[in-house]
Amino acid sequence: MSRYNVRENEDKWRAAWTERAAFAVTEDSARPKYYVLEMFPYPSGRLHVGHVRNYTMGDVLARYKRARGFNVLHPMGWDAFGLPAENAAIASKVHPATWTYENIAVMRDQLRRMGIAYDWNREIATCHPEYYRHEQKMFLDFLQAGLAYRKESWVNWDPVENTVLANEQVIDGRGWRSGAAVERRRLSQWFFKITEFADDLLAAIKTLDRWPERVRLMQENWIGRSEGARFRFELAGRDDGVEVYSTRPDTLFGASFVAVSPNHPLAEEAARKDPAVAAFIQECSRLGTSEAVIEAAEKLGCDTGLKAIHPFDSSWELPVYVANFVLMEYGTGAIFGCPSGDQRDLDFARKYGLPIIPVVLPPGEDPASFAIGEEAYTGPGTLYNSRFLDGFEVTEAKRRAIAELERLGCGSGEVQFRLRDWGVSRQRYWGCPIPIIHCESCGTVPVPEADLPVRLPEDVSFDKPGNPLDHHPTWKHVACPSCGRPARRETDTFDTFVESSWYFLRFCSARDDHAFDRKAVDYWMPVDQYIGGVEHAVLHLLYSRFFMRALSRCGYADMAEPFAGLFTQGMVCHETYQDPEGKWLFPEEIRRADGGAVVTVEGERPVSVGRSEKMSKSKKNVVGLEAIVEGFGADTARLFLLSDSPPERDLEWTDGGAEGVWRFINRVWRLVTEPSVALPPAGTARPERIDPAADGVLRLVHKTIHAVTDDLEGFRFNKAVARIRELVNGLGELDPAAEGAGWVLRRGCEAAAQLLAPMTPHLSEALWKELGHDPLLVDTPWPEADAALLVDDMVTLAVQVNGKLRGTLDMPRDADRGLIEKAALDLPAVLRAAEGKPPRKVVVVPNRIVNVVV
RNA sequence: GCCCCUGUGGCGGAAUGGUAGACGCGGCAGACUCAAAAUCUGUUGUCCGCAAGGGCGUGUUGGUUCGAGUCCGACCAGGGGCACCA
């Protein structure tokens, strides 16, 4: 019995593709183009199976489309700037650049071994000055176009590390590494004006019909368009007021307080006079900037002592609170509270004993008895207790309330977006320097284009807390390009999302002197199929959509949407293991003992098995790619990652499953190398006579070609694999004595090799050669199914009595309705189930089912 | 708190409103073997039954329909997102 030699074959066929330069492409107007892109990885150290799942899906598509005659662009690169490199620098004294480039070398090698069909000539690393210099130029152009600007904003500040923290780095109000209490601080930072395109970014989501529904929904929520009113409450005894934004101006007569954000100027003013307010604001700053945390926290407030005057009734005064649930970043940073119509306001009013005035009467309720209980009423209804708004529906009341505010001159209707401008400044070393010089007399001066790129200095130290660029002895000291006097470089670097917002354009002409060649971009863009994790559903994808618009406005391109099709794949998960002390264990540190109990390999101590979770280093539930590829080969890993779960769902890695795939690969190998009946030479014409038994198998071959093609088009890789397995099972059961069996078996084996090719390219190439074909399979067109062989002459109908299955009926396809009814009614099982009762009705669905109703 | 998704055998999962459990993993039985591994064959939702056959089954619970895993309502459970991780 022969065994498929993985090592030899995988090396051999990869070398053959490389020698052919099979996947290097150029623009070719004669052929339809197809741009397949997987989200490029951060070079974290080594490839894990999650990456491989992502890239395998892209490769399946790239190889499939290539076989269908498309000119396929399938590039790969590295999202190489980022925090982990700096953390590594702090932890192990290795320079971020060294660490990054070493990781890239390891991961590139791993990717090559997986046999993914990339055009490696287009490889890019975003930390390379040849990449980021174009980004600096774009920034200058955005600045010119008014799409980039500088302003103050709030951040989470770690006073020990002297650094800004991400929300996820704030744990219970403390810095993740230092443990120091986090402060909210104002910092002057650079922003991209994404809100400029808010309406268009929202409206165009409708055109992205090849994006997953949930991603579109997430983006819609993120942009968060709302219609409401911005208006002013005068403050009693002062000549200023407080401006609020509300989506429910119709409920103004239910108002019982005004609340401002802890960062609102009025709050700061109150804090200066009242230590209690100051202490409260201090307390709020501990919550951090995350909306989820703020919204979930108990609604707390602190009375400022100020009184706001109701815009519709100057004798009506409302208390002004500082409240922890009011966000400075949204609207005006101030609201009015209507407890009967908003849950947060209701909680707040209950806590502080404020009036609760119902103003919207739900349909069918009696105004005399309707009362607000535990829940605020936010649904539709009719206004009451609301003077001139009484009797109007909510929508109409909103319109009238706004009209009245406008008449009074204290406000107007306004559309608000939840979307805020994109803050791109990071107080970090390992990122793209922002090409700006700060001069005391000239202000912020752009670095002249001729001086680009602004390169990162290499001699930096990570001994001190804070930004290494800031405490570098010389780097930031430069002459002002405008006046020549001593000035200081911007020491912030870009958010790494900036690099990933245009890398797909760079791939179109990766070695061009400009950011990209317009002709190449016009040919290849948009990306036809983008594949990546759903974790990027909002930010990366929205930023890229913004960049495409911003670059188009600056004359770089002429396109709004960079990604025509998007697919978000699930994560790869694995069981977790802990020893008796609760320490996490790697899968290879455990084994299953004879009784089925799980024990440690060392010392046989009992292991508790946890549920399957996303593979992560911290829980050690990771499987090494090397071990799999060494043992079973790249094709096994690829096929397993495609076969067990639908691609959009999480996949559980199991050793058993991978072994099953390995068995299957060997079964296919033996099917071809040790056929049950001698195969005629390649290209032999179809024999005159084919036995009905063999004809059934031939039909299976064509049905499989048809179904697998359809499944690949629809991203149903797991089903495609299942169908190919059915084909292989069917070929294994072919009667070798049947007339025409050899020819049918050849057709079947060829189809199996071709259909498997996008998934197991090495194996398929080897099978193709075994089957006597000389040209590479990679240069062979996709097989076509013969439509005549897709439909059977006989069909099996299910027969039900009152909806319950009682038997089946084999009938010719499209048989006469009366014939079917009669045959069904004569079935013994039907007679038995009907218990002698006459049929009241017989439902016949052609070629599918008969339902006898008695 | 707000928004969203998912619940089907021991497990991963199939199923245009039409034969629930394809395909695989695991289990059980057998063949080959001195033995094991590898491989192959059969079997495998559950309950009753010697069998033929039948009852029950897609988180719970109502509804629509000749017919519901699929559509609609309520509930329960698990998961995800909510602006400096990438």
Side-chain angles (χ1 to χ4, degrees):
Chain A
M1 186 169 62
S2 85
R3 211 174 149 96
Y4 174 63
N5 187 332
V6 204
R7 186 71 71 82
E8 188 186 299
N9 274 297
E10 295 198 343
D11 288 347
K12 173 175 158 191
W13 295 110
R14 249 192 332 270
W17 301 325
T18 308
E19 195 185 331
R20 272 277 287 104
F23 310 118
V25 286
T26 50
E27 292 89 86
D28 174 2
S29 56
R31 277 193 298 162
K33 67 95 185 180
Y34 200 87
Y35 187 175
V36 189
L37 185 66
E38 300 100 53
M39 292 180 183
F40 67 162
Y42 179 77
S44 55
R46 43 197 57 237
L47 222 52
H48 60 76
V49 287
H51 288 126
V52 177
R53 190 182 189 203
N54 187 199
Y55 307 143
T56 302
M57 289 179 190
D59 200 37
V60 168
L61 200 64
R63 287 176 180 267
Y64 165 72
K65 288 288 179 183
R66 199 171 169 281
R68 303 280 326 236
F70 287 88
N71 190 24
V72 174
L73 174 59
H74 189 211
M76 185 39 79
W78 311 95
D79 189 14
F81 275 137
L83 206 47
E86 283 188 58
N87 289 337
I90 294 166
S92 49
K93 307 277 173 208
V94 52
H95 192 277
T98 312
W99 185 84
T100 302
Y101 282 113
E102 278 174 3
N103 287 348
I104 288 175
V106 170
M107 291 173 75
R108 181 196 300 118
D109 190 54
Q110 289 183 300
L111 266 183
R112 284 186 193 271
R113 292 203 53 181
M114 295 312 299
I116 316 244
Y118 291 128
D119 179 356
W120 282 107
N121 298 332
R122 294 170 188 261
E123 181 185 1
I124 56 178
T126 58
C127 64
H128 201 284
E130 275 307 300
Y131 184 84
Y132 69 68
R133 75 182 170 109
H134 304 295
E135 187 166 304
Q136 294 176 338
K137 169 78 164 68
M138 289 171 188
F139 172 77
L140 297 180
D141 289 330
F142 287 1
L143 205 59
Q144 189 95 55
L147 293 171
Y149 67 98
R150 192 171 149 91
K151 74 164 184 191
E152 293 211 316
S153 88
W154 292 95
V155 294
N156 299 313
W157 182 262
D158 185 321
V160 171
E161 295 221 9
N162 274 326
T163 185
V164 175
L165 297 178
N167 281 329
E168 70 150 25
Q169 295 172 323
V170 181
I171 296 152
D172 294 328
R174 297 185 170 274
W176 66 311
R177 194 149 46 193
S178 70
V182 168
E183 299 167 10
R184 278 167 67 141
R185 257 207 201 181
R186 276 173 96 80
L187 229 54
S188 198
Q189 308 200 79
W190 290 98
F191 284 81
F192 283 159
K193 203 171 177 189
I194 189 169
T195 53
E196 172 85 6
F197 300 100
D199 257 323
D200 186 43
L201 286 167
L202 183 68
I205 290 173
K206 286 188 184 61
T207 69
L208 300 173
D209 56 340
R210 286 176 50 231
W211 280 40
E213 185 55 40
R214 70 167 171 150
V215 173
R216 299 198 294 178
L217 202 72
M218 280 164 91
Q219 294 222 348
E220 275 172 14
N221 291 340
W222 188 268
I223 295 169
R225 185 179 195 276
S226 65
E227 288 177 15
R230 174 198 284 262
F231 58 95
R232 204 175 146 84
F233 281 85
E234 298 303 327
L235 290 172
R238 304 168 45 132
D239 16 339
D240 61 339
V242 53
E243 199 159 58
V244 303
Y245 178 77
S246 173
T247 55
R248 295 298 303 275
D250 54 307
T251 65
L252 248 170
F253 289 106
S256 58
F257 64 95
V258 167
V260 300
S261 161
N263 311 122
H264 194 278
L266 274 182
E268 286 167 2
E269 181 196 314
R272 282 194 289 276
K273 290 181 196 148
D274 186 345
V277 176
F280 177 73
I281 293 174
Q282 185 65 41
E283 186 63 33
C284 291
S285 74
R286 235 169 258 157
L287 268 183
T289 56
S290 151
E291 187 176 319
V293 170
I294 289 169
E295 285 279 316
E298 191 188 359
K299 308 295 172 278
L300 295 175
C302 185
D303 197 338
T304 60
L306 296 169
K307 299 289 177 200
I309 297 164
H310 197 288
F312 294 154
D313 182 348
S314 57
S315 68
W316 187 351
E317 291 191 350
L318 301 165
V320 178
Y321 280 79
V322 178
N324 65 353
F325 61 92
V326 183
L327 300 163
M328 195 61 216
E329 292 81 7
Y330 187 75
T332 61
I335 60 153
F336 78 84
C338 172
S340 63
D342 184 289
Q343 193 60 43
R344 292 170 305 186
D345 297 350
L346 182 64
D347 296 344
F348 192 82
R350 284 267 151 77
K351 186 162 180 77
Y352 295 103
L354 298 165
I356 297 159
I357 311 160
V359 284
V360 178
L361 188 67
E365 286 282 349
D366 178 1
S369 61
F370 178 70
I372 298 291
E374 287 298 301
E375 284 178 30
Y377 182 73
T378 56
T382 319
L383 272 287
Y384 72 130
N385 296 333
S386 294
R387 307 187 198 180
F388 70 90
L389 297 174
D390 279 354
F392 292 110
E393 297 294 316
V394 167
T395 324
E396 177 60 21
K398 268 188 205 176
R399 192 155 40 230
R400 287 179 181 256
I402 292 170
E404 180 66 6
L405 288 167
E406 282 171 356
R407 195 185 65 79
L408 294 169
C410 62
S412 60
E414 190 176 283
V415 171
Q416 268 287 335
F417 291 93
R418 181 178 168 276
L419 181 71
R420 304 200 296 260
D421 279 337
W422 174 15
V424 292
S425 297
R426 298 291 183 272
Q427 296 68 38
R428 305 269 155 77
Y429 166 73
W430 195 233
C432 170
I434 300 177
I436 287 289
I437 291 164
H438 298 280
C439 170
E440 270 186 31
S441 39
C442 311
T444 57
V445 183
V447 171
E449 262 185 67
D451 295 348
L452 296 184
V454 177
R455 286 169 190 268
L456 284 171
E458 283 166 25
D459 51 334
V460 283
S461 85
F462 293 88
D463 307 340
K464 278 187 271 184
N467 182 353
L469 285 181
D470 199 39
H471 46 65
H472 187 278
T474 56
W475 185 76
K476 68 179 171 186
H477 302 294
V478 286
C480 171
S482 170
C483 69
R485 272 183 289 201
R488 174 178 75 69
R489 272 192 200 288
E490 173 67 65
T491 57
D492 285 354
T493 50
F494 282 132
D495 178 5
T496 57
F497 274 122
V498 179
E499 285 85 66
S500 54
S501 293
W502 65 279
Y503 76 108
F504 44 88
L505 296 168
R506 183 68 180 163
F507 276 140
C508 296
S509 54
R511 300 289 175 264
D512 204 274
D513 264 352
H514 299 90
F516 45 82
D517 172 45
R518 180 69 187 267
K519 283 201 305 295
V521 162
D522 287 345
Y523 177 78
W524 291 114
M525 287 293 289
V527 173
D528 294 278
Q529 188 63 59
Y530 197 30
I531 307 170
V534 73
E535 64 271 24
H536 292 294
V538 179
L539 296 186
H540 161 58
L541 292 168
L542 193 64
Y543 293 157
S544 298
R545 297 179 64 215
F546 158 73
F547 241 75
M548 201 69 238
R549 286 165 170 78
L551 288 172
S552 294
R553 184 176 285 187
C554 294
Y556 282 74
D558 184 18
M559 184 174 287
E561 294 298 336
F563 311 121
L566 173 71
F567 188 88
T568 52
Q569 101 277 9
M571 299 178 297
V572 179
C573 300
H574 196 279
E575 280 181 334
T576 50
Y577 309 105
Q578 284 172 284
D579 71 7
E581 281 80 51
K583 237 182 69 202
W584 299 103
L585 298 168
F586 285 109
E588 55 270 26
E589 292 178 311
I590 65 114
R591 66 181 189 84
R592 288 181 203 260
D594 295 336
V598 179
V599 296
T600 56
V601 173
E602 299 264 323
E604 310 243 322
R605 307 165 68 218
V607 169
S608 68
V609 180
R611 70 183 184 93
S612 187
E613 293 182 59
K614 177 186 180 174
M615 288 190 182
S616 73
K617 279 183 196 158
S618 60
K619 291 188 177 163
K620 297 194 174 176
N621 60 337
V622 288
V623 292
L625 193 62
E626 288 88 349
I628 300 155
V629 175
E630 285 298 312
F632 299 130
D635 283 345
T636 298
R638 293 170 57 120
L639 192 57
F640 176 70
L641 288 167
L642 294 167
S643 64
D644 242 30
S645 291
E648 69 278 9
R649 282 225 229 150
D650 289 351
L651 171 100
E652 189 179 353
W653 181 278
T654 59
D655 291 342
E659 282 158 21
V661 167
W662 172 236
R663 268 202 295 276
F664 172 72
I665 283 178
N666 277 290
R667 224 166 78 225
V668 180
W669 178 250
R670 283 195 305 272
L671 186 71
V672 172
T673 56
E674 298 164 19
S676 57
V677 50
L679 302 180
T684 302
R686 177 185 172 130
E688 287 285 306
R689 276 187 39 82
I690 293 179
D691 184 274
D695 182 65
V697 176
L698 184 62
R699 285 170 182 273
L700 173 65
V701 172
H702 285 268
K703 284 178 193 165
T704 305
I705 292 172
H706 181 77
V708 168
T709 304
D710 198 48
D711 286 337
L712 292 186
E713 292 278 355
F715 263 86
R716 293 178 295 267
F717 303 132
N718 57 323
K719 287 179 66 183
V721 175
R723 293 198 198 271
I724 297 171
R725 279 178 176 275
E726 282 178 291
L727 170 64
V728 171
N729 291 346
L731 293 174
E733 285 159 20
L734 175 66
D735 178 5
E739 207 171 343
W743 186 83
V744 169
L745 185 58
R746 159 166 286 281
R747 286 295 296 121
C749 289
E750 286 174 345
Q754 288 186 280
L755 297 176
L756 276 170
M759 311 187 216
T760 58
H762 312 87
L763 170 73
S764 290
E765 204 67 77
L767 294 171
W768 199 241
K769 177 82 180 165
E770 284 292 323
L771 286 163
H773 293 282
D774 214 29
L776 293 181
L777 179 53
V778 84
D779 291 322
T780 306
W782 193 249
E784 297 272 353
D786 181 349
L789 295 174
L790 297 180
V791 283
D792 293 322
D793 303 333
M794 293 293 286
V795 291
T796 304
L797 292 151
V799 182
Q800 300 178 334
V801 176
N802 289 340
K804 260 187 182 323
L805 181 74
R806 294 298 170 183
T808 59
L809 211 49
D810 287 327
M811 301 286 281
R813 168 168 287 275
D814 300 324
D816 177 75
R817 195 189 169 91
L819 224 64
I820 294 170
E821 273 191 37
K822 173 139 191 349
L825 290 171
D826 286 347
L827 278 180
V830 171
L831 293 172
R832 204 174 327 127
E835 292 169 332
K837 282 177 268 184
R840 286 195 292 138
K841 184 176 170 186
V842 181
V843 180
V844 178
V845 181
N847 302 325
R848 284 208 160 264
I849 204 162
V850 183
N851 190 12
V852 180
V853 185
V854 296

